[in-house]
Structures are given as C-alpha cells and as structure tokens.
Amino acid sequence: MRASINPDVLAVSAPPIPEARAWAARYDGRHGPAIDLTQAVPGYPAHPGLVDRLSGAAGAPTSFGYGEIVGDAALREAYAGEVSALYGGDIAPGEVAITSGANLAAFAVTMALARAGDAVMMPVPWYFNYQMNLGLLGIETVGLPCRPEAGFVPDPGEAEALLTDRVRAIMLVSPNNPTGAVYPPEVIAGFADLCRRRGIVLVLDETYRDFLPAGLGRAHDLFAGSWRDHLIGLCSFSKSYCVPGFRAGAVIAGPRFIPQIAKILDCVQICAPRVGQAGLAWAIWELGAWRAANRAVMNGRAEACRAVFAALPGWEIGALGAYFAYLRHPFDGVGSAKVSEEMAARRGVLTLPGSAFGPGQEDYIRLAFANCDEARLEEAATRLRDFTPG
C-alpha cells in the first residue's frame, strides 16, 4: 500500500515561476539573452551601508543564537516608529511581529484567523501564494472579481454582496501583485469599514508601499484611527531594501492577535533570520533618501513599460504600477499559459500567465519589470511585435 498525501496539498497548483523558467529552457537564444519578467526582483543592488552592516552582523555572536519569536526588539521598534510616522498612528513595538518574509507573515495570519471549512475573500486576479495558503489549510477562497474597466480595483460594495457567514477575512494587496493597480484611499477605507461592520478582519499587504506613483501621498489613514480589532498589516522588506534572500517581513496587529500569531511563528520559524534584522533596524531610519531615489527609478521604469507595450499592436495595458504590468494579449481563444509558454520558448521573454492568478484571467499575462531597464523592456516588446502563438 502506498502512503497517502494530504489531498488539500495535492489540490494546490504548483508554483508558476519554476514552470515558466522550464519553458525558457527550450529557448535557443536566437533573439539574444532571455529576458526574465517572471519574479518581483529589485533591479539594483542593496545600499553599500546596508551591505556593510549585514556583513558585520553575519559574524556577530548574537546572530548565531535564537532570537525572540516575534523578532528582535530593535527592528520591531524601528518599524513601528516608521509606520506610525507615515500614517499618523501610534503603533507599539509589541504590535509588530517579524517574519521570514511576507509570505510567511500571510500564512501565519491566515492560520490565526481561519480554519479548515472557513473562507477568506480575495480579489481576482489574486497573488497566487496567498491563495495557495488557503488551499493548503483547507480554507475556501471567495473570489472578488476585479473588472478591467475599473483598472482592476475591487469594489467594497461588490465584496459585501459576496460575503457569507464563513468569511473570516478579506485580503488586499496594494499596490497590487499581480496587476500593479494602486487602490485609492477611499477604496481601502471602504473595505476597512466593511470589515468593521461585519466583524471580520481586513488583511492589507503593503509590500510595494515604497513604489507608489509620483505625487501620490500616503496610501490610507487606517492606522491613525481605531484599527486594532479589524485590521492587520503585512509587509516585506525585500523590495524596499533589495534583500529578498534575507527573508524579512512583518505583521502589524493588535494585542488580541499578536500572541496567537506568535504561536504559529514558533512552530514554523522559531525566529526570523537575525542577520537581516540587524541591518534593517539601521536601514529604516538611515536610507529614506535612497529609497525615495529608487522609487523614482521604478516609476521611470513603469512609464517606460507603459510606453513600449502601449505601442505594441493588439496588446492592451489592463493595469500597471509598482513592479508589475498586467497585459491583455491579442490572441483570442488562446489560453494564457500557451501564450506565456511560447513567448518564453520561442522569443526568450519570460512572463507569467493570467491563469496563475485565478479564474477568468486567460486573456492576460503579467510582467514583473523591476529588474529590467528601459532598453531591455524595449527589446522585450520588439521580440513580441510579430509574435503569434503556434
């Protein structure tokens, strides 16, 4: 008799990025080196001062021992202070937990809020890892359709109409992965009000907060008000500080939630990696100008992406911002996976198919352009100008 595997795990789709890179393994190089637009990777190195501190922390005796379950005090204090200053709030260090990246933060929060048989609402298209979390835990995903004509921004009114008694939370990502859409403050406030009225939790991922469009102020005012019973914030330090390999993220939650989240973190990570925490505690306060300059770089890259793909015959930009562009391809009746596969295998342009981000997305592909300068973006568009899937 063969050993069984958890059917909830078997039912979850495989991660799409390795699959896309496997398609590119068939590319013969005739159009030049492959252009990888699959993953949200910063296209510039970490700040030299941060590199120095990470190097020093790697050899420090404290880095070799266990840290606090919810993170080292210095980073929790720095992050609580930064978010309080940004949003006019009064977040305490004890309301912050440091995690091994935002994916683990989302997994721990999901487990703390819902159990098998419950449900969580997510806008469609969704960030695939967060939806995979729900499947692994036996939690139903209630999809909230985001419409192209609305720029893929979800509607709190439509969300309320779809709520059931089993929904324990609504998860939003803004600026959004996969679409790049930036949710207006009034939309985020509408979701917060909905969750407050219905006794559920708004989980708001702001991993790309440092890459809002130029001229846009703070994303919302939620932390300036009464938030602790209905709002949980998530973030990743990977993008802002160019340290994805150090696996550092954070949760902001009220005192009812943090002790429960800590139970989960103790089981799945014991403590977050300490080297990155030591460097980031310094970087939060010292690298503001550097981060602002990188925001300008990314905004320029976003506009370059908009320009080259808007000029590509038949293609349409559904939404664009932060690190991402969500594009409608011109090949009616052809599934997004086939389009992405042939783009990778025949033209060396690696993207993710819309089908990786939920139902009803077969007409779309996602580009992650952060690691690609303007010349490479132009080259990617040039390779697709006469492309047709076979």
Side-chain angles (χ1 to χ4, degrees):
M1 175 183 282
R2 298 180 69 189
S4 63
I5 297 175
N6 182 342
D8 288 339
V9 176
L10 289 172
V12 170
S13 299
I17 292 176
E19 181 178 26
R21 290 176 177 170
W23 295 335
R26 308 201 311 264
Y27 173 56
D28 61 13
R30 71 177 61 189
H31 299 284
I35 301 172
D36 191 344
L37 303 171
T38 59
Q39 194 167 34
V41 180
Y44 41 80
H47 188 277
L50 177 56
V51 173
D52 288 344
R53 279 158 180 80
L54 293 172
S55 298
T62 53
S63 296
F64 288 81
Y66 290 120
E68 292 186 52
I69 294 169
V70 293
D72 292 349
L75 181 53
R76 287 188 287 124
E77 290 171 4
Y79 186 62
E82 178 192 38
V83 179
S84 294
L86 178 62
Y87 289 119
D90 59 349
I91 299 161
E95 294 171 325
V96 174
I98 303 302
T99 62
S100 298
N103 273 5
L104 182 56
F107 184 84
V109 166
T110 300
M111 183 178 283
L113 296 177
R115 61 181 179 176
D118 288 338
V120 170
M121 181 176 288
M122 296 178 61
V124 183
W126 53 49
Y127 175 43
F128 54 80
N129 278 141
Y130 289 1
Q131 196 277 331
M132 290 167 71
N133 287 344
L134 302 181
L136 293 171
L137 294 169
I139 299 167
E140 179 190 354
T141 303
V142 176
L144 172 60
C146 293
R147 308 185 190 287
E149 59 269 25
F152 289 96
V153 174
D155 183 334
E158 290 190 39
E160 186 158 21
L162 293 171
L163 280 180
T164 70
D165 290 341
R166 293 193 297 118
V167 173
R168 300 290 178 256
I170 300 174
M171 299 188 74
L172 302 182
V173 181
S174 180
N176 186 253
N177 180 2
T179 66
V182 177
Y183 300 168
E186 62 272 18
V187 169
I188 296 174
F191 276 100
D193 179 67
L194 169 60
C195 291
R196 182 188 300 109
R197 288 189 288 104
R198 298 296 291 266
I200 61 177
V201 175
L202 174 61
V203 181
L204 179 60
D205 180 336
E206 297 190 275
T207 289
Y208 301 94
R209 179 172 54 212
D210 269 357
F211 305 100
L212 291 169
L216 191 66
R218 64 190 186 194
H220 57 80
D221 294 312
L222 301 187
F223 288 115
S226 175
W227 61 272
R228 290 172 173 82
D229 286 331
H230 67 275
L231 174 66
I232 293 178
L234 307 181
C235 91
S236 167
F237 298 103
S238 297
K239 321 304 180 186
S240 295
Y241 299 97
C242 305
V243 289
F246 281 87
R247 308 311 306 133
V251 176
I252 294 175
R256 268 202 321 132
F257 299 113
I258 288 290
Q260 310 314 315
I261 292 168
K263 295 175 186 178
I264 300 162
L265 295 179
D266 188 42
C267 292
V268 297
Q269 72 173 16
I270 299 180
C271 66
R274 303 195 69 194
V275 172
Q277 292 188 68
L280 290 166
W282 168 86
I284 281 176
W285 295 121
E286 298 297 327
L287 297 185
W290 180 78
R291 289 159 64 188
N294 291 336
R295 175 182 180 178
V297 169
M298 284 298 104
N299 284 339
R301 211 159 278 186
E303 288 310 308
C305 186
R306 185 186 304 277
V308 298
F309 282 97
L312 198 61
W315 293 75
E316 298 177 15
I317 298 173
L320 185 148
Y323 276 29
F324 305 109
Y326 204 58
L327 305 180
R328 182 183 177 94
H329 67 72
F331 311 113
D332 292 342
V334 182
S336 60
K338 182 174 178 61
V339 174
S340 285
E341 178 179 4
E342 295 206 17
M343 284 169 56
R346 292 170 45 204
R347 298 298 170 99
V349 178
L350 286 68
T351 63
L352 293 185
S355 56
F357 304 103
Q361 305 304 305
E362 290 292 353
D363 293 335
Y364 291 87
I365 62 168
R366 189 200 76 175
L367 309 183
F369 55 74
N371 68 334
C372 198
D373 63 19
E374 287 81 350
R376 294 289 277 167
L377 288 169
E378 181 67 48
E379 171 63 22
T382 297
R383 294 186 192 184
L384 300 179
R385 194 166 299 278
D386 63 348
F387 167 78
T388 302

